[in-house]
Coordinates of all heavy atoms in Angstrom, one line a residue:
T116 N -19.9 10.7 26.8 CA -19.0 10.2 27.8 C -18.6 11.3 28.8 O -18.7 12.5 28.5 CB -17.7 9.7 27.1 OG1 -16.9 9.1 28.2 CG2 -16.9 10.8 26.4
C118 N -15.5 11.3 30.0 CA -14.0 11.4 29.9 C -13.6 12.9 30.1 O -14.1 13.8 29.3 CB -13.5 10.9 28.6 SG -11.8 11.3 28.3
Y120 N -11.0 14.5 29.4 CA -10.3 15.1 28.3 C -11.2 15.5 27.1 O -11.0 16.4 26.3 CB -9.2 14.1 27.8 CG -8.2 13.9 28.8 CD1 -8.1 12.6 29.5 CD2 -7.2 14.8 29.2 CE1 -7.2 12.3 30.4 CE2 -6.3 14.5 30.2 CZ -6.2 13.3 30.8 OH -5.3 13.0 31.7
F121 N -12.4 14.8 27.1 CA -13.4 15.1 26.1 C -14.0 16.5 26.4 O -14.3 17.3 25.5 CB -14.5 14.1 26.1 CG -15.7 14.3 25.3 CD1 -15.6 14.3 23.9 CD2 -16.9 14.6 25.9 CE1 -16.8 14.5 23.1 CE2 -18.1 14.8 25.1 CZ -18.0 14.8 23.7
G127 N -6.1 16.8 23.4 CA -6.4 16.0 22.2 C -7.4 15.0 22.4 O -7.3 14.2 23.4
C128 N -8.4 14.9 21.6 CA -9.5 13.9 21.8 C -10.1 13.5 20.5 O -10.7 14.3 19.8 CB -10.6 14.5 22.7 SG -12.1 13.5 22.9
N129 N -9.9 12.3 20.1 CA -10.4 11.8 18.8 C -12.0 11.8 18.8 O -12.5 11.8 17.7 CB -10.0 10.3 18.6 CG -8.5 10.2 18.3 OD1 -7.9 11.1 17.6 ND2 -7.8 9.2 18.9
K130 N -12.6 11.7 19.9 CA -14.1 11.7 19.9 C -14.6 13.1 19.6 O -15.6 13.2 18.8 CB -14.6 11.2 21.3 CG -16.1 11.0 21.3 CD -16.6 10.6 22.7 CE -16.3 9.2 23.0 NZ -17.0 8.3 22.1
G136 N -5.9 12.7 18.3 CA -5.2 11.8 19.3 C -6.1 11.6 20.6 O -7.2 12.2 20.6
C137 N -5.5 10.9 21.5 CA -6.3 10.6 22.7 C -5.4 10.9 24.0 O -4.5 10.2 24.3 CB -6.7 9.2 22.8 SG -7.5 8.6 24.3
A138 N -5.8 12.0 24.7 CA -5.0 12.4 25.8 C -5.2 11.5 27.0 O -4.3 11.4 27.9 CB -5.4 13.8 26.2
A139 N -6.2 10.7 27.0 CA -6.4 9.7 28.1 C -5.5 8.6 28.1 O -5.1 8.0 29.1 CB -7.9 9.2 28.1
H147 N -11.5 5.2 33.1 CA -11.7 4.7 31.7 C -11.9 3.2 31.5 O -12.0 2.5 32.5 CB -10.5 5.2 30.9 CG -10.5 6.7 30.7 ND1 -10.1 7.6 31.7 CD2 -10.9 7.5 29.7 CE1 -10.3 8.8 31.3 NE2 -10.7 8.8 30.0
S155 N -7.6 4.3 19.7 CA -8.2 5.7 19.4 C -8.9 6.3 20.6 O -9.0 7.5 20.7 CB -9.1 5.6 18.2 OG -8.4 5.3 17.1
C156 N -9.5 5.4 21.4 CA -10.4 5.9 22.5 C -10.6 4.9 23.6 O -10.8 3.7 23.2 CB -11.7 6.4 21.9 SG -12.9 7.0 23.1
I157 N -10.5 5.3 24.8 CA -10.7 4.4 25.9 C -11.8 4.9 26.9 O -11.9 4.6 28.0 CB -9.4 4.2 26.7 CG1 -8.8 5.5 27.3 CG2 -8.4 3.4 25.9 CD1 -7.7 5.4 28.2
A158 N -12.7 5.7 26.3 CA -13.8 6.3 27.1 C -14.9 5.2 27.5 O -15.0 4.2 26.8 CB -14.5 7.4 26.3
P200 N -14.2 6.8 17.1 CA -14.9 7.0 18.4 C -16.0 8.1 18.4 O -16.8 8.1 19.3 CB -13.8 7.3 19.4 CG -12.7 7.7 18.6 CD -12.8 7.1 17.2
Ligands
SF4_402 S1 -10.7 8.4 25.8 FE1 -12.0 9.0 24.0 S2 -13.2 10.7 24.8 FE2 -11.4 10.5 26.2 S3 -9.7 11.7 25.3 FE3 -9.5 9.7 24.4 S4 -10.6 9.9 22.5 FE4 -11.3 11.5 23.8

Side-chain angles (χ1 to χ4, degrees):
T116 184
C118 170
Y120 298 107
F121 174 70
C128 171
N129 289 322
K130 188 182 282 298
C137 171
H147 289 76
S155 296
C156 178
I157 57 171

